[in-house]
Amino acid sequence: MDDADWDTSPADAATATDTYARHAHTQWERLTTTYADAGYREGITPGKLTTLQRGFDEAYAASVVPSRRLGQLRGRVAALVAFLQSRQQQGDTTNGAGDADALLLQRAKEAKRLLARVRPETVLPVDEEALAHAAAEHPADGVVVDKDEWRGEEGVRERREMADVVQKLEDLGGQEKTTNEEREQQLLDSWERTVSLLEREAGL
Amino acid sequence: MDVDMDNVDLFDPVDSLNDLESTYYEKGYQEGFDHGKLHGLFEGRELGQEKCFDWWEELGFIEGQAMFWKRLSDAQGDGRIDSKKITSTTDIPPTPITPPTEMDESADTAVGEGDLAGLMTRIRAKYRLVCSLVGVKPRLAVKNTVEGDVMADNNAAVDSSSGIEGVSMLPSSNADRNQDAGPQIDSRLLQF
C-alpha cells in the first residue's frame, strides 16, 4: 500500500476505489477474453471436422445430376460439331444442303462455346444456409464476398446474372416465382432443348 | 495422511478462481466448436460440389459423346455415316461404369475410391478408343490422376485439346488420324 493512503481524504479514496474497480474490471475482461478466445480457436477445428464429411456427402449427392447433365450436353454438342465438320469436309451433303449445314455447324459451334462458359456455380445447388450465415457474419458486405470462405465474387455475380435471365423468362411467360433449384433445372432443360434441336436438324 | 472430509469446504470461492482459466476456456471452446460445426458443414458442401463436378462433368461428357455416336450409328441407314467406324462404339453403353456417388464416412474415403481412379482410367481409355474409331481428338481433363503414369507418354497429342474448348474434328486423312489417335490407346487398360 502507498505511503500516501493514510492521509487521503474520503472523496479521494472513493475516486481511487472507482478507478481501481474500473481497472480491475478491465483486467478481468481481458483475462476472460483471453481464455475464451484461446478456447474458441482450439474448438473451431474439431467442430469443423465433425460435420465436414456430412456436408461433403450432402453436396456430392445433390450435385451428381446437374454435373452429369451439363457434361452430357457438352459431350453431345462437341460430338455434333465434330460430325458436322466431318460432313462438311467430305462435302457429304444431299440436295444442295451445304449452306444449311454450314449454318447448322455455326450454331452448333456457338452452342458449344456457350456451354463451355457455363460455370459450375450456375448449375449446382446453392447453399442458402451458408449464404445466410455469411451474410449474418459479414453484414457490411451485403451478400458474400469472402473468397476464402465461399465461392467468391465471380460466382455470386454469375449466379445473379443467371437469376436475372431466368427471371426475365419468367416475366415473359407469366410464371410463378421459382426456387434456385428450379432455375438450375430450367437452365439445363433449356440447353437440352437447344442441343436436341440441333441434333434433329443434323438428321439425328 | 488422513484428511477430514467433513471440514473441507467444497464451495470455497477460491476454487472457482482456480478454475477461472478452464471455465472461460471451455466456454470459448464450446462456442468455437459450435461455430466450427457450421463452417465444417459449409466447407464440406463446397468441397463435395467441387469434387462431384470434377468427376461427373467429365463422365457426363464421355457419356454424352457415347450417346451421340450411338444415335448416329442407329441412324446410319441414310448412308451418310461411315458405319465401320461407328458400329464398334455401339457396344459401349451410355454409362460404362457407375462410379460411387457418396462418401463412406467410416472410411474417410469415397466408397470404392480405391477402385475409382482405376475405373476412371478404364473409362477414359474406352473413350479414347471410341475417339480413335470415329476419328476425333479426345477431350481429357488434364489432372493428376492415376492414369498419369500410364498415359503420360501418350498425352502430348491430347494436351493441346483438353477441355471443352479443345479442337474436336475429324482428321482430313487416314494418316493424320493414325498419327493423332493411334498411339494414344493402351489396350491393356480397356479390360473389356
Side-chain angles (χ1 to χ4, degrees), chain A residues 157-182:
Chain A
R157 185 183 59 76
E158 178 93 9
R159 190 165 286 282
R160 279 178 181 162
E161 287 176 3
M162 187 197 75
D164 286 345
V165 170
V166 176
Q167 190 60 54
K168 283 173 186 168
L169 290 172
E170 285 171 0
D171 293 343
L172 286 172
Q175 293 177 359
E176 293 180 359
K177 302 288 182 194
T178 54
T179 63
N180 280 321
E181 192 177 347
E182 288 168 337

PDB file of all heavy atoms in Angstrom, chain A residues 157-182:
ATOM      1  N   ARG A 157     -21.636 -13.119 -58.807  1.00  0.00           N
ATOM      2  CA  ARG A 157     -22.026 -12.296 -59.951  1.00  0.00           C
ATOM      3  C   ARG A 157     -22.669 -13.176 -61.029  1.00  0.00           C
ATOM      4  O   ARG A 157     -23.721 -12.855 -61.578  1.00  0.00           O
ATOM      5  CB  ARG A 157     -20.791 -11.594 -60.522  1.00  0.00           C
ATOM      6  CG  ARG A 157     -21.098 -10.614 -61.645  1.00  0.00           C
ATOM      7  CD  ARG A 157     -19.826 -10.022 -62.215  1.00  0.00           C
ATOM      8  NE  ARG A 157     -18.935 -11.033 -62.745  1.00  0.00           N
ATOM      9  CZ  ARG A 157     -19.124 -11.656 -63.903  1.00  0.00           C
ATOM     10  NH1 ARG A 157     -20.171 -11.370 -64.639  1.00  0.00           N
ATOM     11  NH2 ARG A 157     -18.279 -12.573 -64.311  1.00  0.00           N
ATOM     12  N   GLU A 158     -22.024 -14.309 -61.276  1.00  0.00           N
ATOM     13  CA  GLU A 158     -22.540 -15.248 -62.287  1.00  0.00           C
ATOM     14  C   GLU A 158     -23.945 -15.696 -61.937  1.00  0.00           C
ATOM     15  O   GLU A 158     -24.849 -15.723 -62.772  1.00  0.00           O
ATOM     16  CB  GLU A 158     -21.611 -16.466 -62.336  1.00  0.00           C
ATOM     17  CG  GLU A 158     -22.050 -17.535 -63.305  1.00  0.00           C
ATOM     18  CD  GLU A 158     -21.405 -17.368 -64.655  1.00  0.00           C
ATOM     19  OE1 GLU A 158     -20.502 -16.530 -64.780  1.00  0.00           O
ATOM     20  OE2 GLU A 158     -21.838 -18.065 -65.558  1.00  0.00           O
ATOM     21  N   ARG A 159     -24.144 -16.021 -60.680  1.00  0.00           N
ATOM     22  CA  ARG A 159     -25.444 -16.510 -60.245  1.00  0.00           C
ATOM     23  C   ARG A 159     -26.506 -15.426 -60.346  1.00  0.00           C
ATOM     24  O   ARG A 159     -27.642 -15.673 -60.723  1.00  0.00           O
ATOM     25  CB  ARG A 159     -25.329 -17.018 -58.807  1.00  0.00           C
ATOM     26  CG  ARG A 159     -26.543 -17.746 -58.343  1.00  0.00           C
ATOM     27  CD  ARG A 159     -26.244 -18.513 -57.088  1.00  0.00           C
ATOM     28  NE  ARG A 159     -25.446 -19.695 -57.351  1.00  0.00           N
ATOM     29  CZ  ARG A 159     -25.925 -20.818 -57.851  1.00  0.00           C
ATOM     30  NH1 ARG A 159     -27.193 -20.891 -58.154  1.00  0.00           N
ATOM     31  NH2 ARG A 159     -25.152 -21.843 -58.050  1.00  0.00           N
ATOM     32  N   ARG A 160     -26.110 -14.213 -60.027  1.00  0.00           N
ATOM     33  CA  ARG A 160     -27.056 -13.103 -60.150  1.00  0.00           C
ATOM     34  C   ARG A 160     -27.478 -12.910 -61.604  1.00  0.00           C
ATOM     35  O   ARG A 160     -28.647 -12.693 -61.902  1.00  0.00           O
ATOM     36  CB  ARG A 160     -26.411 -11.813 -59.640  1.00  0.00           C
ATOM     37  CG  ARG A 160     -26.441 -11.678 -58.128  1.00  0.00           C
ATOM     38  CD  ARG A 160     -25.746 -10.404 -57.749  1.00  0.00           C
ATOM     39  NE  ARG A 160     -25.712 -10.204 -56.315  1.00  0.00           N
ATOM     40  CZ  ARG A 160     -24.895  -9.379 -55.713  1.00  0.00           C
ATOM     41  NH1 ARG A 160     -24.020  -8.686 -56.426  1.00  0.00           N
ATOM     42  NH2 ARG A 160     -24.916  -9.223 -54.417  1.00  0.00           N
ATOM     43  N   GLU A 161     -26.483 -13.009 -62.489  1.00  0.00           N
ATOM     44  CA  GLU A 161     -26.799 -12.837 -63.907  1.00  0.00           C
ATOM     45  C   GLU A 161     -27.755 -13.912 -64.392  1.00  0.00           C
ATOM     46  O   GLU A 161     -28.722 -13.649 -65.099  1.00  0.00           O
ATOM     47  CB  GLU A 161     -25.506 -12.886 -64.741  1.00  0.00           C
ATOM     48  CG  GLU A 161     -24.657 -11.643 -64.598  1.00  0.00           C
ATOM     49  CD  GLU A 161     -23.341 -11.760 -65.341  1.00  0.00           C
ATOM     50  OE1 GLU A 161     -23.113 -12.790 -66.004  1.00  0.00           O
ATOM     51  OE2 GLU A 161     -22.535 -10.820 -65.256  1.00  0.00           O
ATOM     52  N   MET A 162     -27.475 -15.137 -63.975  1.00  0.00           N
ATOM     53  CA  MET A 162     -28.348 -16.233 -64.376  1.00  0.00           C
ATOM     54  C   MET A 162     -29.751 -16.038 -63.815  1.00  0.00           C
ATOM     55  O   MET A 162     -30.752 -16.253 -64.494  1.00  0.00           O
ATOM     56  CB  MET A 162     -27.786 -17.559 -63.877  1.00  0.00           C
ATOM     57  CG  MET A 162     -28.561 -18.743 -64.405  1.00  0.00           C
ATOM     58  SD  MET A 162     -28.256 -20.242 -63.475  1.00  0.00           S
ATOM     59  CE  MET A 162     -29.202 -19.922 -62.007  1.00  0.00           C
ATOM     60  N   ALA A 163     -29.807 -15.610 -62.559  1.00  0.00           N
ATOM     61  CA  ALA A 163     -31.114 -15.367 -61.934  1.00  0.00           C
ATOM     62  C   ALA A 163     -31.877 -14.285 -62.696  1.00  0.00           C
ATOM     63  O   ALA A 163     -33.088 -14.384 -62.884  1.00  0.00           O
ATOM     64  CB  ALA A 163     -30.918 -14.956 -60.475  1.00  0.00           C
ATOM     65  N   ASP A 164     -31.149 -13.274 -63.165  1.00  0.00           N
ATOM     66  CA  ASP A 164     -31.794 -12.204 -63.923  1.00  0.00           C
ATOM     67  C   ASP A 164     -32.381 -12.734 -65.231  1.00  0.00           C
ATOM     68  O   ASP A 164     -33.505 -12.412 -65.606  1.00  0.00           O
ATOM     69  CB  ASP A 164     -30.777 -11.093 -64.242  1.00  0.00           C
ATOM     70  CG  ASP A 164     -30.459 -10.280 -63.006  1.00  0.00           C
ATOM     71  OD1 ASP A 164     -31.221 -10.392 -62.025  1.00  0.00           O
ATOM     72  OD2 ASP A 164     -29.444  -9.556 -63.030  1.00  0.00           O
ATOM     73  N   VAL A 165     -31.570 -13.571 -65.915  1.00  0.00           N
ATOM     74  CA  VAL A 165     -32.031 -14.120 -67.194  1.00  0.00           C
ATOM     75  C   VAL A 165     -33.279 -14.971 -66.994  1.00  0.00           C
ATOM     76  O   VAL A 165     -34.289 -14.818 -67.695  1.00  0.00           O
ATOM     77  CB  VAL A 165     -30.914 -14.976 -67.845  1.00  0.00           C
ATOM     78  CG1 VAL A 165     -31.460 -15.748 -69.037  1.00  0.00           C
ATOM     79  CG2 VAL A 165     -29.766 -14.084 -68.267  1.00  0.00           C
ATOM     80  N   VAL A 166     -33.214 -15.857 -66.004  1.00  0.00           N
ATOM     81  CA  VAL A 166     -34.354 -16.737 -65.754  1.00  0.00           C
ATOM     82  C   VAL A 166     -35.569 -15.911 -65.322  1.00  0.00           C
ATOM     83  O   VAL A 166     -36.696 -16.185 -65.710  1.00  0.00           O
ATOM     84  CB  VAL A 166     -33.992 -17.790 -64.682  1.00  0.00           C
ATOM     85  CG1 VAL A 166     -35.205 -18.639 -64.344  1.00  0.00           C
ATOM     86  CG2 VAL A 166     -32.869 -18.670 -65.186  1.00  0.00           C
ATOM     87  N   GLN A 167     -35.296 -14.879 -64.545  1.00  0.00           N
ATOM     88  CA  GLN A 167     -36.390 -14.025 -64.089  1.00  0.00           C
ATOM     89  C   GLN A 167     -37.077 -13.346 -65.276  1.00  0.00           C
ATOM     90  O   GLN A 167     -38.311 -13.251 -65.327  1.00  0.00           O
ATOM     91  CB  GLN A 167     -35.841 -12.957 -63.125  1.00  0.00           C
ATOM     92  CG  GLN A 167     -36.921 -12.172 -62.396  1.00  0.00           C
ATOM     93  CD  GLN A 167     -37.804 -13.081 -61.562  1.00  0.00           C
ATOM     94  OE1 GLN A 167     -37.308 -13.840 -60.739  1.00  0.00           O
ATOM     95  NE2 GLN A 167     -39.104 -13.029 -61.794  1.00  0.00           N
ATOM     96  N   LYS A 168     -36.262 -12.901 -66.242  1.00  0.00           N
ATOM     97  CA  LYS A 168     -36.850 -12.265 -67.428  1.00  0.00           C
ATOM     98  C   LYS A 168     -37.720 -13.254 -68.192  1.00  0.00           C
ATOM     99  O   LYS A 168     -38.807 -12.909 -68.672  1.00  0.00           O
ATOM    100  CB  LYS A 168     -35.733 -11.739 -68.343  1.00  0.00           C
ATOM    101  CG  LYS A 168     -35.122 -10.446 -67.832  1.00  0.00           C
ATOM    102  CD  LYS A 168     -33.924 -10.051 -68.674  1.00  0.00           C
ATOM    103  CE  LYS A 168     -33.238  -8.832 -68.053  1.00  0.00           C
ATOM    104  NZ  LYS A 168     -31.936  -8.574 -68.651  1.00  0.00           N
ATOM    105  N   LEU A 169     -37.236 -14.482 -68.291  1.00  0.00           N
ATOM    106  CA  LEU A 169     -38.030 -15.511 -68.967  1.00  0.00           C
ATOM    107  C   LEU A 169     -39.340 -15.754 -68.222  1.00  0.00           C
ATOM    108  O   LEU A 169     -40.403 -15.898 -68.820  1.00  0.00           O
ATOM    109  CB  LEU A 169     -37.232 -16.827 -69.050  1.00  0.00           C
ATOM    110  CG  LEU A 169     -36.037 -16.815 -69.998  1.00  0.00           C
ATOM    111  CD1 LEU A 169     -35.236 -18.101 -69.841  1.00  0.00           C
ATOM    112  CD2 LEU A 169     -36.498 -16.669 -71.437  1.00  0.00           C
ATOM    113  N   GLU A 170     -39.237 -15.765 -66.902  1.00  0.00           N
ATOM    114  CA  GLU A 170     -40.442 -15.965 -66.093  1.00  0.00           C
ATOM    115  C   GLU A 170     -41.425 -14.819 -66.296  1.00  0.00           C
ATOM    116  O   GLU A 170     -42.632 -15.018 -66.416  1.00  0.00           O
ATOM    117  CB  GLU A 170     -40.075 -16.042 -64.618  1.00  0.00           C
ATOM    118  CG  GLU A 170     -39.427 -17.353 -64.234  1.00  0.00           C
ATOM    119  CD  GLU A 170     -38.884 -17.313 -62.825  1.00  0.00           C
ATOM    120  OE1 GLU A 170     -39.019 -16.264 -62.167  1.00  0.00           O
ATOM    121  OE2 GLU A 170     -38.324 -18.321 -62.397  1.00  0.00           O
ATOM    122  N   ASP A 171     -40.877 -13.617 -66.333  1.00  0.00           N
ATOM    123  CA  ASP A 171     -41.742 -12.455 -66.519  1.00  0.00           C
ATOM    124  C   ASP A 171     -42.464 -12.516 -67.857  1.00  0.00           C
ATOM    125  O   ASP A 171     -43.639 -12.184 -67.968  1.00  0.00           O
ATOM    126  CB  ASP A 171     -40.916 -11.166 -66.433  1.00  0.00           C
ATOM    127  CG  ASP A 171     -40.383 -10.953 -65.027  1.00  0.00           C
ATOM    128  OD1 ASP A 171     -40.916 -11.596 -64.095  1.00  0.00           O
ATOM    129  OD2 ASP A 171     -39.443 -10.159 -64.863  1.00  0.00           O
ATOM    130  N   LEU A 172     -41.718 -12.973 -68.874  1.00  0.00           N
ATOM    131  CA  LEU A 172     -42.327 -13.072 -70.199  1.00  0.00           C
ATOM    132  C   LEU A 172     -43.437 -14.116 -70.217  1.00  0.00           C
ATOM    133  O   LEU A 172     -44.493 -13.927 -70.804  1.00  0.00           O
ATOM    134  CB  LEU A 172     -41.254 -13.456 -71.238  1.00  0.00           C
ATOM    135  CG  LEU A 172     -40.284 -12.345 -71.632  1.00  0.00           C
ATOM    136  CD1 LEU A 172     -39.190 -12.914 -72.504  1.00  0.00           C
ATOM    137  CD2 LEU A 172     -41.026 -11.245 -72.378  1.00  0.00           C
ATOM    138  N   GLY A 173     -43.151 -15.231 -69.530  1.00  0.00           N
ATOM    139  CA  GLY A 173     -44.124 -16.315 -69.546  1.00  0.00           C
ATOM    140  C   GLY A 173     -45.194 -16.195 -68.487  1.00  0.00           C
ATOM    141  O   GLY A 173     -46.130 -16.989 -68.452  1.00  0.00           O
ATOM    142  N   GLY A 174     -45.062 -15.213 -67.616  1.00  0.00           N
ATOM    143  CA  GLY A 174     -46.048 -15.032 -66.553  1.00  0.00           C
ATOM    144  C   GLY A 174     -46.062 -16.182 -65.562  1.00  0.00           C
ATOM    145  O   GLY A 174     -47.078 -16.475 -64.956  1.00  0.00           O
ATOM    146  N   GLN A 175     -44.919 -16.836 -65.404  1.00  0.00           N
ATOM    147  CA  GLN A 175     -44.894 -17.974 -64.494  1.00  0.00           C
ATOM    148  C   GLN A 175     -44.690 -17.510 -63.046  1.00  0.00           C
ATOM    149  O   GLN A 175     -44.317 -16.364 -62.800  1.00  0.00           O
ATOM    150  CB  GLN A 175     -43.747 -18.919 -64.863  1.00  0.00           C
ATOM    151  CG  GLN A 175     -43.955 -19.582 -66.205  1.00  0.00           C
ATOM    152  CD  GLN A 175     -42.781 -20.458 -66.573  1.00  0.00           C
ATOM    153  OE1 GLN A 175     -41.810 -20.540 -65.833  1.00  0.00           O
ATOM    154  NE2 GLN A 175     -42.868 -21.068 -67.722  1.00  0.00           N
ATOM    155  N   GLU A 176     -44.945 -18.438 -62.150  1.00  0.00           N
ATOM    156  CA  GLU A 176     -44.744 -18.119 -60.744  1.00  0.00           C
ATOM    157  C   GLU A 176     -43.252 -18.081 -60.431  1.00  0.00           C
ATOM    158  O   GLU A 176     -42.434 -18.593 -61.186  1.00  0.00           O
ATOM    159  CB  GLU A 176     -45.421 -19.182 -59.877  1.00  0.00           C
ATOM    160  CG  GLU A 176     -46.926 -19.148 -59.992  1.00  0.00           C
ATOM    161  CD  GLU A 176     -47.552 -20.219 -59.124  1.00  0.00           C
ATOM    162  OE1 GLU A 176     -46.795 -20.962 -58.484  1.00  0.00           O
ATOM    163  OE2 GLU A 176     -48.776 -20.293 -59.102  1.00  0.00           O
ATOM    164  N   LYS A 177     -42.935 -17.456 -59.306  1.00  0.00           N
ATOM    165  CA  LYS A 177     -41.537 -17.386 -58.888  1.00  0.00           C
ATOM    166  C   LYS A 177     -40.994 -18.791 -58.666  1.00  0.00           C
ATOM    167  O   LYS A 177     -41.696 -19.676 -58.201  1.00  0.00           O
ATOM    168  CB  LYS A 177     -41.413 -16.593 -57.578  1.00  0.00           C
ATOM    169  CG  LYS A 177     -41.959 -15.183 -57.680  1.00  0.00           C
ATOM    170  CD  LYS A 177     -41.064 -14.308 -58.515  1.00  0.00           C
ATOM    171  CE  LYS A 177     -41.601 -12.900 -58.576  1.00  0.00           C
ATOM    172  NZ  LYS A 177     -40.979 -12.095 -59.613  1.00  0.00           N
ATOM    173  N   THR A 178     -39.735 -18.962 -58.998  1.00  0.00           N
ATOM    174  CA  THR A 178     -39.147 -20.284 -58.849  1.00  0.00           C
ATOM    175  C   THR A 178     -37.995 -20.239 -57.864  1.00  0.00           C
ATOM    176  O   THR A 178     -37.411 -19.190 -57.605  1.00  0.00           O
ATOM    177  CB  THR A 178     -38.592 -20.788 -60.197  1.00  0.00           C
ATOM    178  OG1 THR A 178     -37.703 -19.791 -60.707  1.00  0.00           O
ATOM    179  CG2 THR A 178     -39.700 -21.028 -61.181  1.00  0.00           C
ATOM    180  N   THR A 179     -37.686 -21.417 -57.355  1.00  0.00           N
ATOM    181  CA  THR A 179     -36.545 -21.513 -56.448  1.00  0.00           C
ATOM    182  C   THR A 179     -35.268 -21.607 -57.273  1.00  0.00           C
ATOM    183  O   THR A 179     -35.310 -21.810 -58.491  1.00  0.00           O
ATOM    184  CB  THR A 179     -36.660 -22.766 -55.570  1.00  0.00           C
ATOM    185  OG1 THR A 179     -36.625 -23.894 -56.439  1.00  0.00           O
ATOM    186  CG2 THR A 179     -37.968 -22.765 -54.791  1.00  0.00           C
ATOM    187  N   ASN A 180     -34.142 -21.520 -56.579  1.00  0.00           N
ATOM    188  CA  ASN A 180     -32.860 -21.639 -57.276  1.00  0.00           C
ATOM    189  C   ASN A 180     -32.732 -22.989 -57.958  1.00  0.00           C
ATOM    190  O   ASN A 180     -32.229 -23.097 -59.072  1.00  0.00           O
ATOM    191  CB  ASN A 180     -31.711 -21.447 -56.281  1.00  0.00           C
ATOM    192  CG  ASN A 180     -31.464 -19.986 -55.999  1.00  0.00           C
ATOM    193  OD1 ASN A 180     -31.538 -19.159 -56.901  1.00  0.00           O
ATOM    194  ND2 ASN A 180     -31.194 -19.658 -54.759  1.00  0.00           N
ATOM    195  N   GLU A 181     -33.189 -24.018 -57.242  1.00  0.00           N
ATOM    196  CA  GLU A 181     -33.078 -25.369 -57.794  1.00  0.00           C
ATOM    197  C   GLU A 181     -33.881 -25.475 -59.089  1.00  0.00           C
ATOM    198  O   GLU A 181     -33.433 -26.074 -60.070  1.00  0.00           O
ATOM    199  CB  GLU A 181     -33.600 -26.361 -56.767  1.00  0.00           C
ATOM    200  CG  GLU A 181     -33.270 -27.798 -57.109  1.00  0.00           C
ATOM    201  CD  GLU A 181     -33.727 -28.757 -56.035  1.00  0.00           C
ATOM    202  OE1 GLU A 181     -34.080 -28.290 -54.935  1.00  0.00           O
ATOM    203  OE2 GLU A 181     -33.747 -29.947 -56.304  1.00  0.00           O
ATOM    204  N   GLU A 182     -35.070 -24.881 -59.078  1.00  0.00           N
ATOM    205  CA  GLU A 182     -35.904 -24.914 -60.283  1.00  0.00           C
ATOM    206  C   GLU A 182     -35.257 -24.120 -61.411  1.00  0.00           C
ATOM    207  O   GLU A 182     -35.342 -24.488 -62.583  1.00  0.00           O
ATOM    208  CB  GLU A 182     -37.291 -24.360 -59.971  1.00  0.00           C
ATOM    209  CG  GLU A 182     -38.120 -25.310 -59.111  1.00  0.00           C
ATOM    210  CD  GLU A 182     -39.366 -24.639 -58.556  1.00  0.00           C
ATOM    211  OE1 GLU A 182     -39.387 -23.398 -58.450  1.00  0.00           O
ATOM    212  OE2 GLU A 182     -40.307 -25.358 -58.212  1.00  0.00           O
TER     213      GLU A 182
END
